[in-house]
Amino acid sequence: MSVFDDPGHFGRMWADRYDSPGNPDPAPAVDFLAGRADGGRVLELAIGTGRVALPLAARGVPVDGVEASPEMVAKLRAKPGGDSVPVTVGDLADVPVTGPYQLVYLVFNTLFNLVRAQRQQDCFRNVARVLAPGGEFVVEAFVPDPANFDRDEQVQMRAVTEDSATIRLHQYDRAAQTFIRQTITFDRDGVHLEPFAMHYRWPEQIDELAEQAGLRLVARYADWHRHPFGDDSRSHVSVYRR
C-alpha cells in the first residue's frame, strides 16, 4: 500500500523512536487542552504513545483515543496509566467512535499526514459528527513556508560515519500542496528506505475545511502558550467550535 493511503505507516515506522529525546515538550499542550476541556469527555486523534493523552488523563480529564498503528498503542499500554485510556484502532479520518465529546484535538501537524485532500475533509466532517453542541476541535499545525520548497526537489546530507551514510530527499508538488520525503541509509547491510508524505495547508485553507463541516473558528494562537498569531508565525493552534 502506498504511503499516501496507509494510515498505519507512520506508526510502524516511528513507534520505537517516537518518544526519543528532542521531541516537543507536551506540557504546554496539556495545559491548554485541560483548560478547554471544561470537565467534559475528550478525544485525541492519532493518540500515538500517549505523550499528550496520559498527562491529560492524569489530571482527571476523561480521554479516549484513536490510533491507526497497533505498534503505537502497544507503547502507550506499556506506560503508567496506559491501560486506563480507551483507544480505538482505526483511521483518524474516519473518527471511528460515537461521542459525544466536549473536545477533540489533533496535534503535532498530524492533520497533514492525511495526504489525500478528501481524507482531510472526511476528518473534519467526522469530528463535527462526534462533537457535543458547543464542543471544540483543536488543531495544531505548522504554517507552510514557501522558502522551504522554492524548488521542486531538495537533497540533504543527514549523517555520515565510517559504516553508513544517510541522505534525505524531498520532492514537492506545489500545485497539489503535497511532498514526499525519502530518507535513505546506505550501510553494510544494504539500502534502507523510510518514506514519508504530507499534504500541507495554510491556516485559511484549514478554516475552509472547518466551515464546510459546520465548525467555526473561535480562536487562533501562535503556540500552546497563547502567544498572538501574526504574519510571521510559523505554527498555529486553532480552535473550532460546533
Side-chain angles (χ1 to χ4, degrees):
M1 181 181 290
S2 167
V3 64
F4 283 80
D5 299 298
D6 182 1
H9 170 80
F10 180 86
R12 287 194 300 275
M13 186 173 67
W14 285 101
D16 289 337
R17 292 171 283 172
Y18 197 61
D19 294 326
S20 60
N23 286 313
D25 179 7
V30 172
D31 289 341
F32 182 99
L33 295 165
R36 307 293 307 199
D38 196 28
R41 291 179 68 201
V42 171
L43 175 68
E44 179 172 1
L45 299 178
I47 194 171
T49 62
R51 288 191 308 181
V52 174
L54 291 179
L56 191 59
R59 295 192 180 193
V61 178
V63 182
D64 294 353
V66 171
E67 174 55 53
S69 165
E71 294 85 354
M72 286 283 198
V73 177
K75 295 290 184 181
L76 182 152
R77 294 286 182 238
K79 295 180 179 181
D83 287 338
S84 64
V85 176
V87 178
T88 299
V89 176
D91 191 332
L92 71 92
D94 294 330
V95 191
V97 292
T98 57
Y101 292 96
Q102 182 61 34
L103 180 70
V104 179
Y105 63 92
L106 185 56
V107 300
F108 303 141
N109 310 311
T110 309
L111 174 65
F112 299 161
N113 290 358
L114 297 170
V115 186
R116 302 298 185 189
Q118 180 61 51
R119 296 304 279 158
Q120 293 185 357
Q121 295 170 356
D122 293 342
C123 179
F124 271 82
R125 185 184 68 252
N126 287 316
V127 166
R129 171 180 54 81
V130 302
L131 277 178
E136 295 181 340
F137 184 27
V138 175
V139 176
E140 179 196 21
F142 65 81
V143 178
D145 182 358
N148 289 336
F149 42 91
D150 58 354
R151 57 191 183 276
D152 290 333
E153 298 182 4
Q154 296 179 5
V155 180
Q156 302 168 336
M157 186 277 291
R158 302 291 292 179
V160 176
T161 71
E162 293 182 355
D163 300 314
S164 68
T166 300
I167 61 173
R168 177 170 287 179
L169 300 91
H170 289 76
Q171 185 170 13
Y172 288 87
D173 184 335
R174 287 175 285 184
Q177 294 183 199
T178 62
F179 70 79
I180 186 165
R181 182 184 79 197
Q182 186 67 265
T183 303
I184 308 171
T185 298
F186 305 88
D187 61 23
R188 298 181 187 277
D189 296 323
V191 179
H192 311 277
L193 305 178
E194 290 187 353
F196 180 71
M198 273 189 166
H199 174 57
Y200 55 88
R201 291 182 186 260
W202 276 266
E204 58 270 21
Q205 294 176 316
I206 300 175
D207 296 346
E208 292 175 2
L209 291 178
E211 291 171 5
Q212 293 167 6
L215 307 175
R216 62 185 177 90
L217 180 70
V218 295
R220 171 165 288 141
Y221 306 97
D223 53 35
W224 295 112
H225 299 284
R226 297 182 175 85
H227 290 129
F229 180 82
D231 292 341
D232 60 346
S233 298
R234 301 299 355 125
S235 64
H236 65 101
V237 175
S238 299
V239 182
Y240 302 95
R241 185 173 296 157
R242 178 183 168 191

